[in-house]
Amino acid sequence: MGLQSCLGGSTLQTLKHAAIPTSVSSSRFIFKPISKTLTLNSLSHSRRHSPFTLLFARALSAPAVQASPATEFKDNNDNNNSTVLKTQWKAAIDFKWIRDNKEAVAVNIKNRNSNANLELVLQLYDKMSHLQKEVEQLRGERNVVANKMKGKLEQSERMRLIEEGKNLKEALMTLEDDLVKLKDELHQEAQCIPNMTHPDVPIGGEDCSTVRKMVGSPREFGFLAKDHVQVGKELDLLDFDAAAEVSGSKFYYLKNEAVMLEMGLINWTLSEVMKRGFTPLTTPEIVRSSVVEKCGFQPRAENTQVYSIEGSDQCLIGTAEIPVGGIHMDSIIAESLLPLKYVAFSHCFRTEAGAAGTASRGLYRVHQFSKLEMFILCRPEESDSHHEELIKIEEDLFSSLGLHYKTLDMASEDLGAPAYRKFDVEAWMPGLGRYGEISSASNCTDYQSRRLGIRFRPSEPPTTNPKKSKGSLAPARFVHTLNATACAIPRMIVCLLENYQQEDGSVIIPEPLRPFMGGLELIAPKSG
């Protein structure tokens, strides 16, 4: 269910936007913080906060934002010809570690079938290092001249030093400009280097993924099972034809009981996940492209899954993982507040570039859909256990709906750039005659948090010297982030319509959902 990430090319999927206002674990891939922040010490005294109190924590973790360069571009479709500023960002990657561990990084890139150009990254890094030394040398020479100017000098000597200082300043400005451009190119290339991979991940393509668990067995029908498209049309639940006329292919209308089914799935899932300590959220569905990139996705890549808004620095989200990941961007969280657990409802938008054929039939692969996403920020040493927690929640949800499914440990080539390890859940869809992915759970270690600048301050050890300076505080560490699909609504509807269809054309509503659908037990054929 994850978005594609880090593919080459520059093709854009764009949306017209009228009247746009001007706006401005591997733990080895080190992304240094870019702004000073406030620490949540005022909330660190207790771990017994309600989910809604945790939301208040965000207000106290707001960063002091550091200004960054911006690129101007014009929207040719805007009658006012307004200029939009695209915010730039830098990931302070530990290039030295990459260089020193070149072989391991190269093997990881190969195992993940990534198109990251490691050789180019290292060449640019070496070039940048040499240029940086030249800049520092010129700065030193300029300082020497400036210091000489402070003394008592003959007029001729002063004029000579003024001229020398002017020449040094001009040369330095040229080199600094070259350095900025070189750093931009280096970071653009380096951002495609994927996270390192868990040692237990199978190496290879999707077919190499291993089955962790198999639950249930395919239902045996005493009649010819229909796919969800046919079931939905006969029960007047789905309308693809009208949606195609209104919006294009891969859009749909839900009608009648299908609307109740969507709402029921949303509220049931929220209820179940909140019982496990998750804070509910709804999120913005338009985000800055820089936030998409910081989460490890490439909105400007060839065959991107991201819809970019033309003439702006914004995109439609493909998953709530992105806006939830941005909540604590550029902040330091008190250790006592970890783990932070969120369950977010949002609409999601994906181009589904290249997707076609019967495998994508009906609701299985669409451009717009509703989804509930779980997201955890935690201590690094706890991310593996939280990964197991997330997949267990998913399995419990799907088991309670009576679905037959398998859980997979996904192979290296099927991991997105941010994922250190990913578990997928595939449910049996009898009408389609195959297993289909309904969920995934990924441990992204500190890959995203180093880009987003999300850190935590470890609890201070007892001290006998109350006069110790602020510099004695434990250094901030980057959190680990994890994400998992709690419920992707269209694919869950596929499963329910196909697995619970009856010979008379009706569909039984699973018992856990009935209280959330007004007690409805059966979707029956419409009379007349």
Side-chain angles (χ1 to χ4, degrees):
M1 303 295 290
L3 288 167
Q4 288 182 353
S5 54
C6 224
L7 298 173
S10 58
T11 301
L12 279 173
Q13 295 286 341
T14 59
L15 303 174
K16 305 285 185 186
H17 186 41
I20 301 172
T22 302
S23 60
V24 207
S25 161
S26 166
S27 61
R28 299 297 188 178
F29 292 99
I30 297 178
F31 299 81
K32 299 178 181 177
I34 60 172
S35 63
K36 296 181 179 179
T37 62
L38 300 177
T39 307
L40 304 176
N41 289 332
S42 59
L43 291 179
S44 64
H45 63 281
S46 172
R47 291 181 57 85
R48 297 189 299 273
H49 304 297
S50 71
F52 297 98
T53 303
L54 293 178
L55 288 178
F56 177 67
R58 173 54 186 162
L60 298 181
S61 64
V65 179
Q66 178 177 344
S68 57
T71 301
E72 293 187 0
F73 57 94
K74 294 186 181 297
D75 177 13
N76 296 325
N77 298 294
D78 187 350
N79 293 331
N80 297 324
N81 201 27
S82 61
T83 299
V84 178
L85 298 181
K86 181 182 182 303
T87 302
Q88 300 295 304
W89 64 280
K90 292 289 187 298
I93 304 170
D94 189 348
F95 293 106
K96 183 177 183 300
W97 187 91
I98 295 176
R99 184 190 63 193
D100 294 344
N101 295 271
K102 175 182 175 181
E103 291 184 5
V105 175
V107 169
N108 187 60
I109 289 173
K110 180 180 179 182
N111 288 343
R112 296 175 70 130
N113 196 28
S114 168
N115 67 345
N117 191 335
L118 179 59
E119 290 298 331
L120 178 57
V121 168
L122 295 177
Q123 289 172 14
L124 291 171
Y125 174 62
D126 286 341
K127 188 175 180 181
M128 184 197 71
S129 298
H130 287 109
L131 188 56
Q132 183 72 56
K133 290 178 181 178
E134 290 184 44
V135 168
E136 291 172 356
Q137 181 179 344
L138 278 184
R139 286 173 179 167
E141 293 176 8
R142 184 186 61 179
N143 291 338
V144 170
V145 171
N147 288 332
K148 288 181 179 179
M149 292 281 291
K150 295 177 182 178
K152 187 175 181 180
L153 300 171
E154 296 290 337
Q155 183 65 18
S156 59
E157 178 65 8
R158 181 173 296 278
M159 294 303 296
R160 187 188 71 77
L161 289 174
I162 289 174
E163 183 66 21
E164 184 178 354
K166 179 180 178 182
N167 292 337
L168 286 171
K169 180 180 178 180
E170 291 176 354
L172 186 58
M173 288 178 62
T174 299
L175 285 183
E176 287 177 336
D177 186 55
D178 291 342
L179 185 60
V180 168
K181 294 177 182 177
L182 187 57
K183 285 183 177 179
D184 283 343
E185 185 179 0
L186 172 61
H187 281 273
Q188 187 67 33
E189 289 294 332
Q191 285 167 26
C192 281
I193 295 178
N195 200 350
M196 297 301 283
T197 306
H198 191 287
D200 293 340
V201 168
I203 304 302
E206 185 176 357
D207 293 342
C208 297
S209 301
T210 58
V211 177
R212 282 170 49 96
K213 179 184 289 188
M214 182 77 74
V215 175
S217 58
R219 176 187 167 189
E220 295 184 3
F221 292 87
F223 57 92
L224 182 63
K226 306 168 185 175
D227 68 15
H228 68 282
V229 177
Q230 187 176 355
V231 172
K233 286 184 177 179
E234 292 177 358
L235 291 175
D236 197 23
L237 302 176
L238 308 172
D239 192 334
F240 294 98
D241 295 334
E245 292 295 324
V246 171
S247 302
S249 63
K250 298 186 184 299
F251 287 92
Y252 61 95
Y253 286 99
L254 295 182
K255 301 170 63 179
N256 300 313
E257 294 91 343
V259 177
M260 298 171 63
L261 182 56
E262 171 162 352
M263 300 304 173
L265 282 166
I266 292 169
N267 287 306
W268 170 73
T269 303
L270 275 176
S271 174
E272 290 298 312
V273 177
M274 286 174 65
K275 290 176 185 176
R276 293 162 168 85
F278 285 72
T279 300
L281 295 174
T282 59
T283 74
E285 293 170 359
I286 294 177
V287 297
R288 298 186 186 280
S289 59
S290 59
V291 178
V292 179
E293 292 166 354
K294 289 175 183 180
C295 287
F297 306 110
Q298 298 297 312
R300 288 163 182 77
E302 186 179 356
N303 292 325
T304 181
Q305 296 293 344
V306 179
Y307 283 106
S308 295
I309 300 176
E310 185 177 0
S312 81
D313 68 340
Q314 297 170 315
C315 303
L316 300 182
I317 65 170
T319 170
E321 169 191 347
I322 295 168
V324 178
I327 290 179
H328 296 283
M329 185 167 59
D330 299 324
S331 63
I332 300 177
I333 303 168
E335 184 178 21
S336 60
L337 290 176
L338 297 178
L340 289 172
K341 300 180 179 181
Y342 297 107
V343 55
F345 169 78
S346 73
H347 296 98
C348 304
F349 305 86
R350 301 188 184 182
T351 68
E352 298 298 354
T358 57
S360 302
R361 178 169 167 76
L363 291 175
Y364 187 80
R365 197 176 298 279
V366 289
H367 290 309
Q368 175 183 334
F369 58 95
S370 301
K371 181 163 70 79
L372 290 106
E373 185 81 2
M374 296 179 286
F375 195 91
I376 294 178
L377 303 96
C378 68
R379 300 172 186 84
E381 57 270 18
E382 296 177 350
S383 63
D384 283 340
S385 63
H386 284 302
H387 197 196
E388 294 293 339
E389 174 190 5
L390 287 172
I391 194 64
K392 179 66 163 55
I393 292 173
E394 292 178 343
E395 291 171 346
D396 287 348
L397 292 174
F398 304 142
S399 293
S400 67
L401 293 178
L403 300 180
H404 164 49
Y405 64 86
K406 58 183 178 179
T407 303
L408 303 171
D409 193 347
M410 300 308 293
S412 58
E413 291 183 17
D414 199 61
L415 302 179
Y420 174 62
R421 192 178 194 182
K422 180 164 76 91
F423 302 142
D424 277 6
V425 177
E426 295 185 355
W428 179 247
M429 301 175 178
L432 296 179
R434 63 180 177 86
Y435 290 95
E437 180 192 342
I438 59 171
S439 180
S440 66
S442 297
N443 182 357
C444 297
T445 63
D446 56 7
Y447 189 89
Q448 293 175 326
S449 64
R450 290 181 178 276
R451 296 165 180 246
L452 291 164
I454 308 174
R455 298 176 292 162
F456 73 97
R457 179 79 66 188
S459 301
E460 295 179 67
T463 177
T464 57
N465 184 4
K467 296 183 179 180
K468 280 192 173 181
S469 66
K470 183 179 178 181
S472 65
L473 292 175
R477 301 171 60 196
F478 287 99
V479 300
H480 278 196
T481 63
L482 304 96
N483 63 84
T485 308
C487 186
I489 301 298
R491 293 191 182 181
M492 193 56 59
I493 292 177
V494 171
C495 290
L496 298 181
L497 294 184
E498 295 192 359
N499 282 285
Y500 283 96
Q501 62 180 294
Q502 305 300 303
E503 189 171 7
D504 65 358
S506 64
V507 174
I508 295 175
I509 302 298
E511 191 170 343
L513 296 179
R514 294 174 188 176
F516 298 88
M517 296 181 64
L520 185 68
E521 298 181 2
L522 184 79
I523 303 176
K526 311 296 185 288
S527 58

